[in-house]
Amino acid sequence: EGPETIVVTLTDIVAGASISLGTNTTFTITVNDNAGLPFINFTSTASSGLEDQAAILTVQLSRISAQDVTFQWSTDASNTTAQNNETVLGGNTFPADYTNAPIVPPATITIPANQLTATIDLGIQNDNLHEPTEMIEAGFTGSITNAQVGTNSYHLYTILDNDTPTIQFASAEASGDESATSHNFTVTLSNPSYLDSEVGVQTNGLSTALDGD
């Protein structure tokens, strides 16, 4: 908290006393806070969630402050594998993995006086692209007012993909002349994948053609 004052005032003279009030009738005492600035921390250093879930990070002060606390935060590009812009793959455009996490310049958030916490929404975006596990590292950067950085200055959030595709033949059957040396069959994914997809192929007991035909 900031400096506080106590004002002592001389008021009425007791009846019958042979004194009168002088010019200095007030005395001010200033109480300076000696607790130091509160520490600001992420409440945890790591968490995870599916990409269709909100990613809300909580920032907390070590104690309540009588003054507004402002801080800046951004993502650390060296430890962030998720993309915060559109991805073009195979001619298709997919939305960013997250939208609310800045790199440059950092974003500013205020913890109002007499409150302990503030939240950060990373703005995770749900898409239908099969992707590997991705990470976003958020941390305090830039200026902090009326607080000091604690030990939990970064938070690593892991985005878990929820778009594992299914694979199948494009049609259940096809025909062709036996004079053809080969036949092509189309296999499709239910949704696009950022990862290579592999599947084994073999004939089974329902086949009536003999080996070598």
Side-chain angles (χ1 to χ4, degrees):
E1 57 190 352
E4 299 173 303
T5 57
I6 302 173
V7 179
V8 181
T9 303
L10 299 177
T11 56
D12 300 332
I13 301 297
V14 177
S18 58
I19 56 175
S20 61
L21 293 175
T23 55
N24 293 335
T25 58
T26 61
F27 184 84
T28 301
I29 303 171
T30 300
V31 181
N32 295 310
D33 180 49
N34 65 350
L37 294 175
F39 290 97
I40 186 169
N41 290 282
F42 286 94
T43 55
S44 63
T45 56
S47 61
S48 63
L50 294 171
E51 66 179 25
D52 61 353
Q53 298 174 338
I56 308 297
L57 312 183
T58 301
V59 174
Q60 181 171 303
L61 297 175
S62 57
R63 58 181 173 80
I64 285 180
S65 173
Q67 299 172 307
D68 290 348
V69 172
T70 61
F71 65 91
Q72 292 183 312
W73 73 280
S74 67
T75 56
D76 185 341
S78 63
N79 292 323
T80 296
T81 58
Q83 301 296 316
N84 69 338
N85 50 26
E86 291 185 330
T87 300
V88 178
L89 182 65
N92 297 311
T93 301
F94 298 93
D97 295 314
Y98 63 99
T99 59
N100 293 349
I103 296 178
V104 178
T108 301
I109 292 181
T110 298
I111 302 177
N114 301 314
Q115 293 189 21
L116 273 178
T117 63
T119 57
I120 295 172
D121 185 351
L122 294 180
I124 303 300
Q125 299 296 293
N126 189 25
D127 56 34
N128 70 336
L129 177 65
H130 180 44
E131 304 168 275
T133 297
E134 298 172 300
M135 295 180 292
I136 303 172
E137 184 174 87
F140 300 126
T141 56
S143 63
I144 296 178
T145 304
N146 297 324
Q148 54 187 323
V149 177
T151 55
N152 292 351
S153 59
Y154 285 90
H155 184 99
L156 186 64
Y157 185 83
T158 301
I159 305 173
L160 304 176
D161 186 65
N162 63 347
D163 300 301
T164 301
T166 58
I167 189 169
Q168 63 183 7
F169 287 108
S171 60
E173 59 183 34
S175 62
D177 294 334
E178 65 178 3
S179 59
T181 57
S182 64
H183 294 278
N184 295 323
F185 305 96
T186 301
V187 177
T188 62
L189 295 175
S190 57
N191 52 282
S193 176
Y194 187 82
L195 306 172
D196 291 338
S197 301
E198 297 182 0
V199 63
V201 177
Q202 66 179 25
T203 58
N204 59 33
L206 300 177
S207 301
T208 58
L210 300 176
D211 188 19
D213 287 341

